[in-house]
Amino acid sequence: MPTAPTAPPAILRRRLVPIGIGLLVVLAALAWYLRWDLGMRAVTIADPVVRRWVVNETARLSDGVYKITLSPIEVDADARRIGIDTILVLTDAAANLRRATPLPALTVRLHRCALTGVDLARLSRREGLHVARAGCDSVMVASEVPAPRDSAAGGGGFLVLRDDLQLSRDVPTVQFDSIVFPAVEVALGLTGRSGRRTSVAFDRLAVQLDDVRYDPDQPRTERRPLFARNIAVALDAFRGAREANDQLALDVLRADLVTGDLLLRGLAWRPLPGPFTDSLGLTELAFDSLRVDGVDWAAFLARGDALADSVRLGGVRITVAPSAGVPTTTADTSATRWTLERTVRAIDRRMTLRHFAVRDARITEVRGRDTTTTSIGALAINGLVTGPEPATWNGRAPLGEVTIALRDVLRTVGDQRVAVGLLDVAVARGVVRLDSLRAGHVGTDAAFVRARRSRADRLALAVDSMRLAGIETAAWMRRGAIRATRADLHGVALDVYTDKRLPSRGVRARHRTPQGWIVAQRLELQLDTVVVRGRAQYRERAVGAKAPGVLRLDALEARLVNLSTDPARMTDSTPLVATITARMMGRAPFTLEATLPLLAPRFAMRFEGRLGAMPAAALNPFLEGATPVRFTEGTVRSVRFDATVTDGVARGRVVPTYEGLRVETPGVARTGILQGLRRAVAALAANELVLRSDNGPGAKDGTRVGPIAHRWTPGETLLQFMWHALRSGLLAVVKQ
């Protein structure tokens, strides 16, 4: 896996921290103009000359953009100490505008600065300036970085200065064991290529530079960032707010600008609205810990780009809500649908990340009165490389050769939840693998019924594994389109439960037709082939039934071809074709084929199928819970059916062939001294007056055909609609 790229050496060689600009220049000047003789008997101070040299050198290094002033220099030779009360660096705005590439607008104030432990003997031997410790009691840095004009060269990036500081022959090198700033106030604004602005501000950072050495003769390619072996930034117990709605709390911050390491603990952030937060609808962010390794601070400070080797997050809490600036209702939902490209472009920064890991994350989505909670046990993203440039998003892999893995995901909405054991995504290769999906309502059937005042279907879905191949990931990132060549689902278990003890909701139950659902989604969809293997069951509990009746389809295999919303592919001659094979109640072979023109203006489809031979009593596990009768004798030879749906009305026929059907009514007269007589009378009425016991070539009047004539209602799902249509035809045959 390639590591995160760093800024070109030519750029890195020119980068200096603004809080050290004045200090380094002043120190070099002091080394030349503060002369100690070999016996160290006297000190000559040329203070006006020093300050004039400092002003000229600062102007030269910044091409006249930055102006520096400093208070009188105080020297204590006995204590080997040099003090400067105030150093101020300001920006000449007019000179900056005249540059082809403007430098950042910069204000730096250093107060009560001092050098202690000056090695006078080395200085007198002309071996360079060596200081044990340097620093300032307080530092204020404010910088506004303009949008870069030349992305290849780093543009007008933060802290882009020349590093060719001119030293005297008497002072060949400058070295500090440590430079310490215990109280640094920073306000940094970065304007991206799109003109959008990001701000970073802290009011009491601690900064330490270790082993700072400047040697003009050292090859520039060998120079360390900011000439230091180590640059550490620390912040503890920060509590602050910017304006009324932007609040930040932070327990610990540690950053090393040389190694590119960053550690944050106990962060809680409520951001102001902005391009990034609006694109995600972000209203709150908190985490227990964040560790970043290998940050390219030069790229971040110059352009705001996020280039790092690895990021590890723990205990993440995020709250999101729809952006106030985006309408929640529109005739075209595609205009407001979230897309990854829109978010990345809103961030407006290059991003490179070899490894990103999150553990124990929770995302809360607030949508009016509804709240959705998603918890993630672990998330890993590897090989991310992206940016806002059009060339990046027009290529084959807008995110690079990135892979994504999620484990132990649980999404809860009310009493519904979806649990995923593992989700692997190879973005560039267009392959998704999922293991262990469970979706449905929380709790038992009884709890589901108690929580509702009217009838509703309880759905439960389990999938052992799923694999999608041939995914057009660029289409999904740019437009939210779902396009793939094949989807395979194994170990599927679908359970549908209806309790008729609850009253029907009537017209309040609203289900869409397949065509209506497609139109409502406004989704770009193309799945060439979908294969599903598993089982399905429908459970229904009638009033007075002790338990639900169960109708099972075992060894089920469903194949969908041309599941598409593309008008060029979805025509009347190439509709969606769904084929299902299974074994009814584990006994009889069952086949069903349906064709659906998904882009038809009205509800239209065609379906046909066949049920093979089975004992009639095999249907009793369903009948005993859904109806007041059960079969005692008889054989079903076959059931054939076909129907065409036009404008929501199914018309066709059902041809059941069976013989010797006999039923009883076990729910009638279960107690009392006359229970046997009452059950016998009920069975006689059912068999002799209601049930037609034979249908086929051997029946008295031959084979009766049941007509199908059923109109779809919004209270029906697609499967219920098909079942109700078949049931009407079956009853027309079975009843006398």
Side-chain angles (χ1 to χ4, degrees):
M1 191 73 65
T3 58
T6 59
I11 299 175
L12 291 178
R13 288 196 301 264
R14 303 198 311 265
R15 303 190 184 282
L16 296 173
V17 171
I19 58 178
I21 294 172
L23 187 60
L24 189 58
V25 171
V26 170
L27 297 177
L30 289 171
W32 169 242
Y33 286 101
L34 302 180
R35 308 286 186 89
W36 285 272
D37 64 4
L38 294 178
M40 293 182 286
R41 295 186 297 269
V43 176
T44 303
I45 302 175
D47 184 74
V49 179
V50 170
R51 282 190 279 174
R52 186 165 53 250
W53 182 89
V54 169
V55 169
N56 294 336
E57 189 69 358
T58 302
R60 184 185 68 83
L61 290 172
S62 64
D63 297 327
V65 173
Y66 297 138
K67 308 295 183 182
I68 187 170
T69 59
L70 57 154
S71 62
I73 301 168
E74 301 174 356
V75 178
D76 186 339
D78 294 334
R80 297 191 302 165
R81 182 182 185 277
I82 302 171
I84 306 174
D85 185 74
T86 303
I87 300 174
L88 177 63
V89 180
L90 298 175
T91 304
D92 186 331
N96 203 18
L97 288 176
R98 290 193 294 268
R99 287 176 53 91
T101 303
L103 294 174
L106 183 66
T107 299
V108 181
R109 291 188 179 90
L110 302 99
H111 183 58
R112 296 186 63 83
C113 302
L115 289 74
T116 58
V118 179
D119 190 337
L120 302 180
R122 178 183 295 184
L123 183 64
S124 66
R125 294 195 301 267
R126 299 183 179 181
E127 295 176 355
L129 174 65
H130 182 197
V131 179
R133 179 183 174 90
C136 302
D137 288 352
S138 65
V139 178
M140 187 281 291
V141 180
S143 180
E144 190 66 33
V145 181
R149 298 180 183 178
D150 181 3
S151 59
F158 186 50
L159 317 180
V160 177
L161 291 176
R162 291 152 49 191
D163 64 358
D164 54 342
L165 183 65
Q166 296 178 355
L167 298 180
S168 164
R169 289 177 297 177
D170 295 328
V171 186
T173 63
V174 176
Q175 181 176 351
F176 305 90
D177 293 344
S178 66
I179 301 176
V180 179
F181 304 104
V184 180
E185 180 182 348
V186 176
L188 172 63
L190 297 165
T191 301
R193 298 170 183 84
S194 67
R196 291 170 172 163
R197 181 178 180 273
T198 301
S199 63
V200 179
F202 294 99
D203 63 1
R204 55 173 185 272
L205 288 171
V207 180
Q208 179 170 332
L209 293 82
D210 295 327
D211 191 15
V212 180
R213 179 180 176 82
Y214 178 70
D215 183 351
D217 295 332
Q218 183 182 26
R220 293 185 174 183
T221 56
E222 298 178 6
R223 292 178 182 175
R224 297 174 296 196
L226 308 180
F227 314 109
R229 176 181 56 81
N230 186 58
I231 307 165
V233 178
L235 179 68
D236 292 310
F238 176 81
R239 300 292 184 271
R242 298 195 64 205
E243 304 182 24
N245 299 321
D246 191 69
Q247 299 178 356
L248 176 66
L250 182 63
D251 293 339
V252 174
L253 180 151
R254 298 288 185 271
D256 189 314
L257 302 186
V258 172
T259 62
D261 297 340
L262 171 68
L263 173 64
L264 297 178
R265 288 179 180 163
L267 181 139
W269 177 42
R270 293 179 180 270
L272 282 170
F276 174 57
T277 55
D278 286 352
S279 69
L280 297 177
L282 186 67
T283 61
E284 185 176 7
L285 170 65
F287 53 76
D288 295 337
S289 64
L290 165 66
R291 182 175 181 84
V292 185
D293 298 320
V295 180
D296 187 341
W297 290 108
F300 174 74
L301 296 174
R303 300 178 300 274
D305 293 342
L307 313 179
D309 185 62
S310 68
V311 175
R312 294 176 175 83
L313 273 164
V316 182
R317 303 293 181 265
I318 299 173
T319 302
V320 298
S323 171
V326 179
T328 56
T329 59
T330 178
D332 184 5
T333 58
S334 63
T336 59
R337 180 180 292 116
W338 177 86
T339 63
L340 183 61
E341 179 180 17
R342 189 178 303 160
T343 295
V344 173
R345 289 184 182 276
I347 297 172
D348 191 36
R349 300 290 186 265
R350 291 193 185 97
M351 291 182 290
T352 298
L353 189 56
R354 186 183 65 83
H355 179 64
F356 177 80
V358 178
R359 58 172 179 79
D360 185 24
R362 186 180 69 225
I363 303 170
T364 303
E365 303 170 63
V366 181
R367 308 282 178 177
R369 295 182 179 179
D370 298 327
T371 299
T372 301
T373 302
T374 304
S375 63
I376 302 173
L379 165 66
I381 302 175
N382 297 313
L384 174 66
V385 180
T386 189
E389 296 85 357
T392 299
W393 287 92
N394 293 334
R396 180 188 67 86
L399 296 181
E401 302 296 329
V402 63
T403 61
I404 304 172
L406 292 97
R407 293 182 181 274
D408 301 327
V409 180
L410 179 62
R411 184 176 176 87
T412 303
V413 185
D415 65 345
Q416 301 181 60
R417 68 180 180 184
V418 178
V420 176
L422 172 65
L423 177 65
D424 273 335
V425 183
V427 176
R429 294 194 295 115
V431 177
V432 173
R433 181 173 65 89
L434 180 148
D435 289 338
S436 183
L437 168 69
R438 301 292 183 267
H441 293 84
V442 180
T444 63
D445 290 344
F448 176 82
V449 173
R450 285 195 301 268
R452 283 157 179 79
R453 296 182 178 180
S454 57
R455 191 179 308 163
D457 292 332
R458 185 185 189 201
L459 302 177
L461 174 67
V463 180
D464 289 343
S465 65
M466 180 184 72
R467 187 178 188 273
L468 277 74
I471 300 174
E472 296 183 20
T473 53
W476 175 76
M477 296 174 197
R478 295 167 187 152
R479 306 185 302 274
I482 300 175
R483 305 178 67 90
T485 57
R486 185 179 177 92
D488 288 274
L489 291 82
H490 297 274
V492 176
L494 175 65
D495 177 82
V496 182
Y497 173 62
T498 297
D499 196 320
K500 291 193 172 182
R501 296 175 300 174
L502 291 172
S504 173
R505 291 183 296 178
V507 296
R508 289 182 295 172
R510 307 294 297 181
H511 296 285
R512 293 190 177 101
T513 65
Q515 288 84 359
W517 184 86
I518 288 293
V519 170
Q521 301 305 309
R522 295 190 178 274
L523 181 66
E524 183 180 341
L525 175 67
Q526 176 62 52
L527 295 174
D528 295 344
T529 304
V530 180
V531 178
V532 180
R533 295 180 176 88
R535 60 186 179 86
Q537 67 180 22
Y538 171 71
R539 298 182 296 132
E540 183 178 306
R541 186 169 183 175
V543 177
K546 297 181 65 175
V550 182
L551 185 68
R552 301 192 331 269
L553 290 175
D554 298 326
L556 182 146
E557 179 173 321
R559 182 179 294 268
L560 284 71
V561 178
N562 197 34
L563 177 56
S564 174
T565 59
D566 185 352
R569 302 189 59 161
M570 179 60 68
T571 63
D572 292 340
S573 59
T574 58
L576 165 67
V577 178
T579 304
I580 298 175
T581 62
R583 298 197 71 83
M584 179 74 73
M585 307 302 284
R587 305 288 291 272
F590 173 76
T591 60
L592 171 67
E593 182 173 306
T595 57
L596 291 89
L598 289 180
L599 301 185
R602 299 175 184 271
F603 184 14
M605 68 178 294
R606 188 178 187 282
F607 61 93
E608 61 180 317
R610 184 179 186 278
L611 176 66
M614 64 186 300
L619 294 172
N620 285 340
F622 174 69
L623 297 177
E624 291 173 352
T627 69
V629 301
R630 66 190 301 271
F631 287 115
T632 58
E633 299 178 23
T635 302
V636 177
R637 298 301 179 186
S638 69
V639 179
R640 293 178 288 110
F641 58 89
D642 62 86
T644 300
V645 181
T646 305
D647 290 341
V649 179
R651 299 187 183 278
R653 64 176 192 165
V654 180
V655 184
T657 58
Y658 55 87
E659 57 189 31
L661 293 187
R662 304 287 292 179
V663 299
E664 67 173 1
T665 55
V668 177
R670 289 185 178 273
T671 62
I673 60 175
L674 299 178
Q675 62 174 331
L677 176 61
R678 291 174 180 172
R679 291 183 61 182
V681 171
L684 176 64
N687 288 305
E688 301 300 331
L689 303 179
V690 178
L691 180 65
R692 186 170 184 267
S693 60
D694 299 292
N695 189 59
K700 294 180 181 179
D701 53 354
T703 303
R704 182 183 294 181
V705 176
I708 293 176
H710 180 73
R711 179 179 295 276
W712 174 80
T713 65
E716 296 174 319
T717 64
L718 177 62
L719 291 178
Q720 288 174 329
F721 166 74
M722 296 171 65
W723 165 241
H724 292 160
L726 290 175
R727 186 176 62 182
S728 65
L730 286 171
L731 291 177
V733 174
V734 174
K735 288 185 177 180
Q736 289 281 10

